Amino acid sequence: MIELINKMRNNRGAFTGVIIILIYVMIAIFAPFIAGRSNPDDPYIAKQYSFSPVPQKPSFKAPFGTTQNQYDIFYSMVWGTRLAFKISLFVVLISFIIGIIIGWISGYYGRIIDEIIMRFTDMVLSIPSLVLAMVIASILGPGIEKIIIAIAFVSWPSYARLFRSEVLKIKSMDYITYSKIIGATPFWILRKHIMPNSIYNIIIMASLDIANIVLMASSLSFLGLGSPQGYSDWGQVISMSRNWIISSFSNPLEYSHIVIIPSVFIFTFVLGFNLIGEAFRDIFDPKQIKR
Amino acid sequence: MKKFLIRKVFSIPLTFIGITIILFSIINILPSKTLATAYSSSDKEMTEEEITEIIKKYDLDSSIIKRYYGWLKRVLKGELGYSQTAKMSVVDALKTYLPATVELTIFSIIPIFFIGSFLGMKAAKKKSTLTDRTITSISSFFYSIPSFIIGIFLLLIFYGILGIFEPGRYSTQTDILISSMIFKKYTGFMIIDSILNLNFQVLFDSVKHIILPALSIFLGTSAMFIKITRTSTLEELNKDYVRTLRAKGLREDYIIKKHIKKNILIPQLTVGGLQLIRLLGGVVITETIFDWPGIGSWGVKCALRLDITGVMGFAIVVSILFLIGNLMIDILYSIVDPRIKYE
């Protein structure tokens, strides 16, 4: 662990990535203090000033300007950060739990169960994930929990496969056999031997998965299949910006703030996680060592 | 080898059935009344009686296994139903929209392969110089940008500010020309059709419209390809046989052209296959941004309107394309490297 931190510290990219992510974590944690709450029951609903269809440029009241229908972009960005973390953490948690249970059953008991489960994950993985998530999201209808379900459904198979391969690797080791001889139950072996040895890889995978999940969630919202209308969601603000690419022929950049601000947020978020991911890959995959 | 391919080809129908089971079960979360609308063959709203009639006719209240069996039988016969979004049957809709998607995919894969290979090898050849660093950092910069942001920014620059390109597949004038009797549709690929018709106005117009979406896909997906080309070229350059070749006095360019290029094809294909997956998924977003009338943007419209037959047809076709793509990569593997044996 200490070795890992040292290696990360020497990697300039990873350092930048960690800083970016820390900033986003701060924004998410302190969202109520930065932007206030628009609605005491559901603060994720964006602050709306009026119903005027013309966006407003940045002003003192709305530092990042407003979109059509006067949704405050600043508020949407701040609470959108929290929403992004909320969605990705829930998705990771769900896929993590399902992945561990399924991967363990598959790897530990093997044989026919393993074959069936692995073929099933093959099938889920052979539908492009965004398309599958799109189908699920459209069936379930708009809503935050529904995006979480849709994305979790497409992401658990990779967790299950990773954990299965870990179980297979550890299962064949001698100390597990000894453990069985002295009468350890499968659950004991899972808890005491397999988990501590494999959890590390899965946690790394999960942390790298967050960028993908956020991207998929904002893609769904961008397509109109994600969060309900009026939520503080990065993807939704970008989808509104599509209407304002050409604001007027005399000044095409008049409303470009709607395009640029959310893009910068999503970009830096994904960049932060990608930088960390790159560093992890350099550290753990000796084949890709930079020459 | 042959054995492997035969097994692979036979596993495709099984995977296909599995995919349909998954999709069918997801769709059947909906109540039978909503499902009934999927069986209508016109745009009109259905009355209560019609809905009950359809529920009765297609056994929508019976067990899911029985319904799946009936549904699969119809799908295999090619009856995919009627799509309210496209206002035509799903099969016709696919015939209309699929060529546009395939055209766009081909036009983005070819540059990814050729320009990507070129840039990757260039970076490897000039390792640790400014050229290398520029190529690596620019490509990883674009890799971090989500595809819809690339798309929107390209539109903002080339459509909003410069006004050179515009969204859509062709301009209004060309659209009128294409739908007229003079223009014969042979393949549905606008670029091939316009050449066959010897109509260079349409050719120019379609090329002009395909550049922006293809560029957007290229920027978003080529980074991985450039990276793998660079890494594997470097790896090959350090091998003993290259040292021998150098000792024989061969020029560096010749070594890369004659020896390295062949040896890096395997990792290139592996990553190329992964990119194909990204591309097929990403086509949904790119087509929506650029108003490209392909299956992706149609699928999104279906999903938004809860046009169940449309969504199903779309998801099934994308999965089939995906399976075929994977099979093709497996075949290419064995052509590229006959040493690969599959047991």
Side-chain angles (χ1 to χ4, degrees):
Chain A
M1 194 66 205
I2 294 163
E3 196 191 1
L4 175 73
I5 292 171
N6 273 333
K7 275 182 179 166
M8 292 280 275
R9 215 166 45 191
N10 294 330
N11 188 323
R12 214 187 308 156
F15 188 71
T16 323
V18 170
I19 297 289
I20 294 175
I21 299 309
L22 278 181
I23 293 173
Y24 274 106
V25 171
M26 288 301 181
I27 295 178
I29 292 173
F30 297 111
F33 304 104
I34 300 171
R37 284 169 187 270
S38 63
N39 186 326
D41 301 326
D42 193 352
Y44 292 111
I45 294 170
K47 207 191 262 175
Q48 194 175 17
Y49 296 114
S50 70
F51 291 93
S52 156
V54 183
Q56 294 297 314
K57 285 190 151 193
S59 64
F60 184 70
K61 194 171 74 172
F64 288 168
T66 61
T67 64
Q68 67 209 57
N69 293 333
Q70 306 311 315
Y71 291 113
D72 187 332
I73 296 181
F74 178 73
Y75 188 89
S76 292
M77 290 303 110
V78 171
W79 280 90
T81 310
R82 198 184 247 204
L83 190 67
F85 275 110
K86 182 181 167 184
I87 291 176
S88 48
L89 291 180
F90 268 106
V91 170
V92 163
L93 194 72
I94 295 172
S95 348
F96 194 87
I97 293 171
I98 298 179
I100 279 183
I101 295 172
I102 302 270
W104 183 59
I105 293 174
S106 188
Y108 195 83
Y109 293 103
R111 310 258 168 164
I112 187 85
I113 305 171
D114 182 35
E115 192 67 21
I116 292 171
I117 290 176
M118 282 304 114
R119 288 298 80 77
F120 183 71
T121 56
D122 273 350
M123 282 159 193
V124 176
L125 289 172
S126 64
I127 309 173
S129 50
L130 183 61
V131 171
L132 186 56
M134 218 176 94
V135 173
I136 300 173
S138 100
I139 297 297
L140 296 178
I144 305 299
E145 323 79 55
K146 283 143 189 176
I147 312 178
I148 293 173
I149 295 173
I151 302 177
F153 188 87
V154 297
S155 64
W156 70 264
S158 352
Y159 289 81
R161 300 188 90 153
L162 179 67
F163 194 66
R164 170 182 172 270
S165 67
E166 294 285 327
V167 171
L168 284 180
K169 207 165 65 192
I170 298 165
K171 196 178 78 169
S172 58
M173 286 182 182
D174 286 342
Y175 73 93
I176 300 288
T177 320
Y178 297 144
S179 198
K180 275 185 199 161
I181 291 171
I182 57 168
T185 60
F187 186 69
W188 172 271
I189 293 173
L190 171 75
R191 207 162 54 91
K192 285 282 171 185
H193 298 308
I194 294 176
M195 274 298 217
N197 281 312
S198 57
I199 204 86
Y200 199 44
N201 283 343
I202 297 190
I203 286 177
I204 289 174
M205 177 173 159
S207 64
L208 300 183
D209 208 19
I210 289 180
N212 282 334
I213 294 166
V214 169
L215 258 187
M216 195 179 276
S218 49
S219 303
L220 285 176
S221 295
F222 173 77
L223 296 172
L225 292 161
S227 54
Q229 186 75 40
Y231 262 64
S232 309
D233 184 312
W234 295 343
Q236 205 177 96
V237 177
I238 291 203
S239 90
M240 287 185 200
S241 76
R242 256 185 87 213
N243 305 334
W244 301 97
I245 284 172
I246 288 201
S247 327
S248 62
F249 283 100
S250 55
N251 183 9
L253 285 179
E254 194 173 353
Y255 298 123
S256 54
H257 66 275
I258 317 179
V259 184
I260 292 165
I261 291 166
S263 305
V264 167
F265 268 78
I266 298 186
F267 168 66
T268 44
F269 189 91
V270 174
L271 181 75
F273 276 102
N274 279 354
L275 285 173
I276 299 177
E278 204 115 296
F280 273 149
R281 237 164 275 139
D282 286 347
I283 294 167
F284 290 104
D285 192 356
K287 254 189 115 180
Q288 288 220 348
I289 289 173
K290 276 183 192 149
R291 266 182 280 248
Chain B
M1 179 57 221
K2 241 181 214 159
K3 228 172 164 180
F4 165 77
L5 277 187
I6 291 169
R7 217 183 64 197
K8 198 83 198 169
V9 170
F10 274 108
S11 77
I12 282 189
L14 278 179
T15 318
F16 173 71
I17 301 239
I19 290 171
T20 55
I21 291 177
I22 294 172
L23 289 174
F24 191 79
S25 331
I26 293 169
I27 297 279
N28 275 277
I29 298 169
L30 291 171
S32 56
K33 267 193 184 167
T34 324
L35 278 176
T37 55
Y39 291 95
S40 82
S41 52
S42 67
D43 296 325
K44 274 176 261 157
E45 283 274 314
M46 279 197 287
T47 56
E48 247 348 271
E49 294 94 63
E50 276 175 317
I51 289 178
T52 24
E53 198 179 299
I54 281 177
I55 290 180
K56 221 178 202 172
K57 190 178 163 197
Y58 290 101
D59 274 342
L60 288 183
D61 284 333
S62 65
S63 75
I64 187 162
I65 297 165
K66 210 169 152 193
R67 265 183 296 152
Y68 172 72
Y69 183 65
W71 177 80
L72 188 67
K73 260 204 312 211
R74 284 198 299 280
V75 167
L76 292 179
K77 266 191 247 160
E79 292 168 30
L80 287 167
Y82 181 87
S83 160
Q84 271 131 338
T85 318
K87 303 209 187 310
M88 50 181 133
S89 78
V90 171
V91 179
D92 286 338
L94 289 173
K95 273 185 202 151
T96 322
Y97 298 128
L98 196 55
T101 301
V102 174
E103 194 176 41
L104 180 58
T105 313
I106 291 172
F107 263 78
S108 19
I109 279 193
I110 291 172
I112 288 175
F113 191 83
F114 287 102
I115 303 179
S117 292
F118 173 77
L119 289 177
M121 282 191 280
K122 186 113 198 159
K125 233 190 304 182
K126 309 223 159 161
K127 188 190 64 157
S128 310
T129 61
L130 189 67
T131 329
D132 178 27
R133 252 174 272 141
T134 320
I135 293 173
T136 333
S137 49
I138 290 183
S139 65
S140 59
F141 170 75
F142 279 113
Y143 184 70
S144 294
I145 310 182
S147 56
F148 51 96
I149 293 182
I150 297 183
I152 277 193
F153 269 79
L154 285 179
L155 270 185
L156 187 72
I157 295 166
F158 289 103
Y159 175 50
I161 302 174
L162 299 173
I164 314 172
F165 302 116
E166 46 188 19
R169 200 177 176 198
Y170 21 71
S171 54
T172 340
Q173 278 173 306
T174 318
D175 199 15
I176 297 165
L177 186 74
I178 287 166
S179 31
S180 70
M181 293 295 284
I182 321 161
F183 195 88
K184 288 196 183 69
K185 280 182 184 157
Y186 300 100
T187 53
F189 300 115
M190 268 314 127
I191 288 168
I192 297 173
D193 278 3
S194 57
I195 294 172
L196 289 177
N197 277 297
L198 293 173
N199 192 327
F200 293 103
Q201 189 203 332
V202 178
L203 177 68
F204 179 70
D205 199 53
S206 3
V207 170
K208 200 176 137 186
H209 279 84
I210 209 168
I211 287 176
L212 220 47
L215 180 66
S216 143
I217 295 176
F218 172 79
L219 290 176
T221 38
S222 59
M224 246 349 218
F225 198 79
I226 293 174
K227 196 174 172 187
I228 196 75
T229 310
R230 180 181 174 274
T231 332
S232 35
T233 310
L234 283 179
E235 212 165 288
E236 290 294 320
L237 279 175
N238 279 346
K239 281 192 178 160
D240 288 347
Y241 77 91
V242 175
R243 198 182 51 196
T244 315
L245 291 173
R246 280 186 187 138
K248 277 164 74 182
L250 289 178
R251 273 180 296 115
E252 203 73 13
D253 288 344
Y254 184 84
I255 296 175
I256 287 187
K257 211 171 100 193
K258 285 280 167 186
H259 296 273
I260 308 274
K261 255 189 186 171
K262 287 178 192 161
N263 282 320
I264 59 171
L265 267 172
I266 290 281
Q268 278 187 329
L269 274 180
T270 314
V271 173
L274 288 174
Q275 295 307 311
L276 190 77
I277 303 168
R278 261 177 77 117
L279 227 149
L280 274 176
V283 120
V284 179
I285 290 169
T286 317
E287 284 181 359
T288 310
I289 292 174
F290 291 100
D291 263 335
W292 190 259
I295 50 167
S297 55
W298 171 62
V300 172
K301 277 181 211 143
C302 292
L304 285 173
R305 280 193 48 177
L306 202 57
D307 175 356
I308 300 162
T309 35
V311 167
M312 281 297 257
F314 161 71
I316 288 174
V317 166
V318 172
S319 315
I320 290 176
L321 284 181
F322 186 63
L323 286 178
I324 294 173
N326 270 335
L327 180 71
M328 267 160 59
I329 285 160
D330 279 331
I331 293 173
L332 278 177
Y333 267 150
S334 54
I335 294 173
V336 167
D337 189 353
R339 286 173 307 179
I340 291 184
K341 285 212 178 75
Y342 301 92
E343 295 307 333

